[in-house]
Every structure is written in C-alpha cells, then in structure tokens.
Amino acid sequence: MNRCLKCARPVPADEIAITKKLVNRGATSFYCADCLAEHFQVTRADIDERIDYFRRMGCTLFAPAAGKEETA
Ligand SMILES: [Zn+2]
C-alpha cells in the first residue's frame, strides 16, 4: 500500500492516479487527495472532481467507475 508522503495515510489507486496527473506522470511517491488539495490550494472536492473528470475521459490511470453511478 502506498502512503501519502505528507500525512502517511494510505493512498487509494485513484489518488495515486491523480497525483500522476497533477504532479508528475512518473511520480513514485504520492499524496492523498487532502494533501493534494492543500498543495494546489483547492478544495478536496476539486480534487474529487478532477478524478471524476479524468475517469469520464477514459483515462487508463483511473479505475473504471465500478460501484459508482454510471451514465450509460
Ligand atoms: Zn496526505
């Protein structure tokens, strides 16, 4: 399990993916959504929106929206 570089919380796959998108595609250390939000001075909801956005775009870094509402 990858842990947040800043707060040491476990970082779920989507948050690893958004770190790669927002920070560095080749990132090998990751931040949780809360720390990313703080780093970019946005809200946690903004990070979640970005995750949803990239997922909807079909970005392969993000897991398909399993168990979430889908607009199929
Ligand atoms: Zn963190």
Side-chain angles (χ1 to χ4, degrees):
M1 174 66 78
N2 289 290
R3 288 184 177 270
C4 176
L5 199 60
K6 193 169 177 193
C7 71
R9 263 187 298 194
V11 183
D14 282 347
E15 292 172 26
I16 288 172
I18 199 69
T19 301
K20 288 182 177 178
K21 278 289 188 186
L22 296 179
V23 179
N24 180 353
R25 177 100 194 194
T28 53
S29 49
F30 307 102
Y31 296 97
C32 67
D34 287 320
C35 292
L36 277 175
E38 196 182 310
H39 179 76
F40 288 103
Q41 302 193 310
V42 298
T43 65
R44 165 75 199 250
D46 290 326
I47 299 294
D48 286 339
E49 266 177 40
R50 287 296 195 99
I51 291 172
D52 278 347
Y53 171 79
F54 285 121
R55 181 183 286 121
R56 280 200 306 272
M57 297 295 284
C59 178
T60 54
L61 287 175
F62 296 86
K68 284 197 165 193
E69 287 175 53
E70 284 204 65
T71 52

